[in-house]
Amino acid sequence: MGGAGLRATARVEARADGRGGTALPVLDGEGPLALRRTRTRSGGPAARVTLVGAMSGPLGGDHLTVEATAHEGARLHIDSAAATLALPGQGGEAARYDVRISVAEGAELRWLPEQLISVRDSDLRLSTRVELAAGARLVLREEQVLGRAGEAPGRLSSRLTVCRAGSPLLDQELAFGPGAPGGWDGPAVLAGHRAVGQLVVVRPEYERSGPVAAPLGKWAVLTPLAGPAVLVTAVAPDALRVRRTLDAALRDLA
């Protein structure tokens, strides 16, 4: 990639405030990545942060980064105000979107953004990496939509890596759209569908007794991971059915 695109980083850090709540000593956004502290839906000790897209993007050639840290005992919930659109740039370059999450002992982080939409002729490399302490809790949802209504998708490459206490729980790569490895749209992968989602839930109590592998209705499957964690993968014709499926799974799991 060349150097013509936008570079921007958003950073949030959460710390236990000593009064049963969570403080946000760092809440800093740049360019299209604006962060706002918002009211939690259910109250309680968690701090909620909403990622607000201040500009369109990422465009081809851009490199956007979100860094989120929950220190010991903190509870941090992050969502977004709207879907993210991966858009083509003038030079045909790929864009990068990196998410880096760190959760300390006794802390909880929920990463629940809106969908990522891969627009025709775009090229986005998405990378999400999570580092968890042994006693950390995580709820992470990612959803990808291949093209807007009636539109062919762009190129989308996604890597999701989750490590706990230095050991890998999950390292998954997906690639869709023009130029992706053959078969991405075939019966073994998307089977012609245009929306896909992943939900990762890590809870220390799963070491004693966790969910077992099972299909979840028509569109999803639950898979236990090699540790106190589960992965729910959903593939459906549209984003609404993926969201409903993952929401139902999340109600049961967390």
Side-chain angles (χ1 to χ4, degrees), residues 86-97:
L87 299 169
Q90 294 183 346
E93 296 176 298
R96 289 178 56 188
Y97 196 146

Side-chain angles (χ1 to χ4, degrees), residues 21-101:
T22 299
L24 299 174
V26 176
L27 189 65
D28 182 33
E30 297 176 339
L33 300 174
L35 297 172
R36 301 288 184 267
R37 181 161 189 168
T38 47
R39 187 188 300 264
T40 57
R41 294 185 175 90
S42 58
R48 179 183 171 203
V49 173
T50 298
L51 185 62
V52 180
M55 301 161 52
S56 296
L59 300 170
D62 289 353
H63 185 180
L64 308 183
T65 303
V66 177
E67 299 175 355
T69 301
H71 294 281
E72 185 172 353
R75 296 183 63 184
L76 175 61
H77 297 183
I78 303 177
D79 57 20
S80 62
T84 297
L85 268 66
L87 299 169
Q90 294 183 346
E93 296 176 298
R96 289 178 56 188
Y97 196 146
D98 295 333
V99 178
R100 300 291 179 258
I101 292 172

Side-chain angles (χ1 to χ4, degrees), residues 126-147:
L126 172 65
S127 172
T128 302
R129 184 171 182 86
V130 183
E131 298 285 348
L132 304 172
R137 294 171 177 267
L138 174 74
V139 175
L140 181 146
R141 182 187 68 214
E142 291 190 342
E143 298 166 309
Q144 296 90 28
V145 181
L146 305 182

Side-chain angles (χ1 to χ4, degrees), residues 160 162 168-172 199-202 206 211 222-232:
L160 172 58
V162 181
L169 284 176
L170 176 69
D171 194 348
Q172 173 181 276
L199 174 69
V200 181
V201 178
V202 182
Y206 285 171
L222 182 150
T223 305
L225 301 178
V230 295
L231 169 68
V232 177

Side-chain angles (χ1 to χ4, degrees), residues 113-228:
E114 294 301 308
Q115 298 92 349
L116 169 65
I117 301 174
S118 175
V119 172
R120 183 178 59 191
D121 296 327
S122 66
D123 187 352
L124 178 65
R125 318 290 169 81
L126 172 65
S127 172
T128 302
R129 184 171 182 86
V130 183
E131 298 285 348
L132 304 172
R137 294 171 177 267
L138 174 74
V139 175
L140 181 146
R141 182 187 68 214
E142 291 190 342
E143 298 166 309
Q144 296 90 28
V145 181
L146 305 182
R148 294 170 290 195
E151 176 186 68
R155 170 72 185 269
L156 174 62
S157 301
S158 171
R159 183 170 183 179
L160 172 58
T161 305
V162 181
C163 294
R164 174 179 177 268
S167 298
L169 284 176
L170 176 69
D171 194 348
Q172 173 181 276
E173 290 191 65
L174 303 172
F176 308 118
W184 67 270
D185 201 24
V189 186
L190 293 185
H193 297 319
R194 284 295 178 267
V196 60
Q198 303 84 38
L199 174 69
V200 181
V201 178
V202 182
R203 303 184 70 176
E205 55 265 37
Y206 285 171
E207 288 190 303
R208 298 187 299 272
S209 177
V212 298
L216 300 178
K218 184 177 181 180
W219 309 113
V221 63
L222 182 150
T223 305
L225 301 178

